[in-house]
Amino acid sequence: MRFLHVSDLHIGKRLHEFSLEEDQRHILDQMLNIVDETHPDAVLIAGDVYDNSAPGNESMMMLDSFLTSLSQRDCQVFMIPGNHDSSQKLGYGGEMFASHGIHVCKPFHGIAERHTLTRDGETVEVYMLPFVNPRMVRRFLPDKEIDSYGEAVTAVLENSDVVPGRKVILAHQFVIGAERSDSETAIVGNVDSMLVSVFQDFDYVALGHIHNPQTIGNARYCGSPLKYSKSEADREKSVTLIDIGEEVSVSTIPLVPLRDVRVLTGTVESIIQHGKNDPRKDDFIYAVLSEEPVDGMARLREVYPNTVSMEVPFIETSDIDVGPVDRMDPMELFVKVFEEKTGTELTESQMNTVQRLMEADQ
């Protein structure tokens, strides 16, 4: 039996002030084409369907169009809420959707929902576990000792009807060993993590929550379909195809964005010069500059209109020998550090700007 695994659509997300509506429609259409080409028996959507718990009308219409298109294909759809979703809003109309092959996980009520998928004499049990934390689980299982995320998920699975035979589970949790990106909220100390052995009874664990595609044991994060942060610029995005027979086979199919996310480094002038012959001027650009520019963002956006941010890395001064700083003029000290780090001299305009800032701070 064949499954297509996607997650972390984050419909409605913006990249700083830039709307991604057109980019998300493009990538959802690409997923539909992949469904047409690969003919999965089911599509697994593993959470963070929306970017927030109060999606706007445009976001809801986009998801509605995507699910309607999937319902017209010869496949079932299983979808769970992630930590960004409202399970109540995501699951609205769930009973009606189910009659059209769209199975949306109900708000958490102490168990992982089980659905039996049968095709051509083969049967796979599909379990749906929405994002949970210890507090949510203790509410339904007060007699269990639950202090960690791992104990929470273990308690839920023990309370669920996990039967023998082939089975997959959708979950939206942080499994130890997964590498996070800047677009995910990191929990200090990884207190939200759990061992992959929590899911040892399943043939395949379709995970959401982490945006970088990666496999951990029998579990896999398919990753987000688009790049949502600077740290994802060098990552390749894809969907995951799973074939479950006597063995489990996992492969990936690349996704091609409408507009890519790139990091460009250098001076404003060098980036602008590069942009004059760049066929991908509409990409989302994170500019990392070697010097502090004047009107840098406005100048960059003349060539790269979707420049997301502009930054000049913090200048460490500990390895620079500037002499007795307590007897140096502040402007002189700034000039020495700047020239040491950048290898260039301050222009007259830059000198005047720094001088004004120093005087304003006095």
Side-chain angles (χ1 to χ4, degrees):
M1 198 170 293
R2 173 167 285 184
F3 297 86
L4 187 70
H5 172 197
V6 303
S7 75
D8 296 272
L9 306 181
H10 286 278
I11 295 173
K13 188 174 181 64
R14 301 178 69 87
L15 204 57
H16 292 239
E17 75 265 37
F18 293 99
S19 169
L20 295 176
E21 181 178 349
E22 189 179 6
D23 304 79
Q24 292 182 326
R25 289 189 185 280
H26 171 85
I27 217 70
L28 292 177
D29 286 343
Q30 207 168 131
M31 289 181 185
L32 292 173
N33 290 336
I34 291 172
V35 169
D36 291 337
E37 293 167 1
T38 60
H39 306 290
D41 297 293
V43 175
L44 312 177
I45 306 176
D48 278 359
V49 180
Y50 291 122
D51 189 54
N52 60 68
S53 59
N57 291 337
E58 295 81 4
S59 299
M60 296 174 67
M61 291 173 63
M62 191 185 303
L63 179 62
D64 178 76
S65 176
F66 180 57
L67 293 179
T68 299
S69 296
L70 284 175
S71 72
Q72 295 167 351
R73 270 77 173 172
D74 184 26
C75 66
Q76 301 287 298
V77 177
F78 298 91
M79 183 170 69
I80 64 170
N83 57 302
H84 280 249
D85 297 308
S86 162
S87 57
Q88 288 81 9
K89 291 185 178 180
L90 192 67
Y92 177 78
E95 293 296 332
M96 179 178 65
F97 294 156
S99 65
H100 291 81
I102 308 292
H103 308 280
V104 184
C105 188
K106 297 180 178 66
F108 178 66
H109 53 286
I111 65 169
E113 290 182 23
R114 177 167 70 94
H115 298 265
T116 301
L117 182 62
T118 302
R119 286 289 182 96
D120 299 326
E122 297 182 5
T123 298
V124 174
E125 304 294 335
V126 179
Y127 291 80
M128 297 198 292
L129 176 65
F131 172 79
V132 295
N133 59 40
R135 176 184 54 80
M136 294 167 62
V137 177
R138 284 195 294 266
R139 176 185 169 193
F140 292 94
L141 303 174
D143 296 333
K144 295 277 190 179
E145 185 174 335
I146 300 170
D147 296 315
S148 69
Y149 278 71
E151 290 173 345
V153 172
T154 297
V156 171
L157 295 179
E158 289 175 348
N159 193 49
S160 302
D161 183 21
V162 180
V163 299
R166 291 295 197 186
K167 47 190 172 288
V168 302
I169 185 169
L170 288 78
H172 194 88
Q173 305 290 158
F174 179 35
V175 173
I176 282 183
E179 180 184 353
R180 292 177 165 183
S181 69
D182 291 346
S183 56
E184 298 130 13
T185 302
I187 306 298
V188 176
N190 290 339
V191 296
D192 60 339
S193 67
M194 65 191 67
L195 295 171
V196 71
S197 57
V198 167
F199 300 104
Q200 63 185 351
D201 292 333
F202 296 89
D203 295 280
Y204 181 80
V205 186
L207 292 172
H209 193 41
I210 304 299
H211 293 182
N212 295 327
Q214 53 201 289
T215 299
I216 307 130
N218 61 332
R220 178 168 174 80
Y221 290 102
C222 62
S224 60
L226 290 171
K227 301 173 184 180
Y228 291 130
S229 71
K230 174 186 170 186
S231 67
E232 296 175 71
D234 294 330
R235 304 283 182 176
E236 296 298 325
K237 295 299 182 175
S238 61
V239 295
T240 299
L241 197 65
I242 312 102
D243 287 296
I244 298 182
E246 292 185 4
E247 297 182 351
V248 177
S249 173
V250 177
S251 59
T252 61
I253 300 172
L255 293 171
V256 181
L258 181 65
R259 294 175 288 190
D260 204 356
V261 171
R262 291 190 285 155
V263 177
L264 298 181
T265 61
T267 63
V268 168
E269 286 74 16
S270 68
I271 293 175
I272 290 174
Q273 192 63 34
H274 176 268
K276 290 179 179 179
N277 299 312
D278 190 344
R280 297 155 55 196
K281 291 184 176 66
D282 287 336
D283 283 352
F284 295 107
I285 302 299
Y286 287 85
V288 180
L289 305 179
S290 57
E291 62 180 22
E292 188 71 49
V294 177
D295 296 328
M297 183 63 83
R299 293 166 61 198
L300 286 170
R301 284 181 174 172
E302 289 179 0
V303 179
Y304 290 105
N306 297 319
T307 300
V308 176
S309 75
M310 179 189 74
E311 65 176 281
V312 180
F314 178 73
I315 299 176
E316 295 284 354
T317 61
S318 60
D319 60 342
I320 302 176
D321 183 11
V322 295
V325 298
D326 57 334
R327 296 197 298 272
M328 292 183 69
D329 175 75
M331 189 64 177
E332 182 186 359
L333 176 60
F334 182 89
V335 169
K336 285 183 71 73
V337 171
F338 181 88
E339 293 179 352
E340 179 73 23
K341 275 298 183 182
T342 67
T344 61
E345 296 182 357
L346 282 167
T347 65
E348 183 178 352
S349 175
Q350 290 171 329
M351 291 275 283
N352 292 335
T353 299
V354 173
Q355 188 68 50
R356 286 198 307 271
L357 291 172
M358 287 185 173
E359 291 173 354
D361 193 44
Q362 293 177 354

